[in-house]
Amino acid sequence: MEKDELNYNLIELITSIAKGVRHSQLSDEALNDISQQCETLAKYLSVNKQQAVLFAVIFVLFSKLPSVNLRDLYSFVDVDFIEGIRFKHDIE
């Protein structure tokens, strides 16, 4: 696999994950639907699946916005601040 092909596949993978969790409230159903993609990205990045999801969302947000904060992240997945606290460790 050539480097350009790998980069293209990674972008597709990241985009697919981000689309899967957008406005999903990170429900079990949404996460199950993208479980295989998350596992693939997590393995590539050497992170856990939750971190792979957060990476994908942050990557997509940074491609659209000049800066990203927690409010942007929580809004993307449609969770409130209290629910989002459970991801603090994985974001750091």
Side-chain angles (χ1 to χ4, degrees):
M1 183 178 296
E2 295 181 22
K3 185 177 180 182
D4 288 340
E5 186 178 339
L6 177 61
N7 289 338
Y8 178 74
N9 289 337
L10 283 173
I11 297 297
E12 278 189 342
L13 185 61
I14 289 167
T15 303
S16 174
I17 292 168
K19 284 180 181 177
V21 296
R22 185 161 195 184
H23 302 299
S24 71
Q25 298 179 329
L26 298 176
S27 70
D28 289 339
E29 181 180 347
L31 294 174
N32 284 336
D33 289 345
I34 59 166
S35 180
Q36 185 59 48
Q37 293 103 318
C38 292
E39 194 168 310
T40 301
L41 183 60
K43 183 177 178 183
Y44 180 79
L45 296 174
S46 299
V47 297
N48 66 43
K49 287 169 58 172
Q50 186 165 312
Q51 291 168 334
V53 169
L54 295 171
F55 174 86
V57 171
I58 292 168
F59 183 91
V60 167
L61 287 171
F62 263 117
S63 71
K64 296 178 182 182
L65 303 171
S67 65
V68 176
N69 59 37
L70 287 176
R71 184 175 301 162
D72 298 323
L73 177 65
Y74 297 162
S75 176
F76 188 91
V77 295
D78 198 21
V79 297
D80 64 28
F81 181 76
I82 298 299
E83 293 170 309
I85 289 174
R86 65 185 167 154
F87 309 114
K88 186 174 188 240
H89 176 66
D90 287 315
I91 292 171
E92 295 173 344

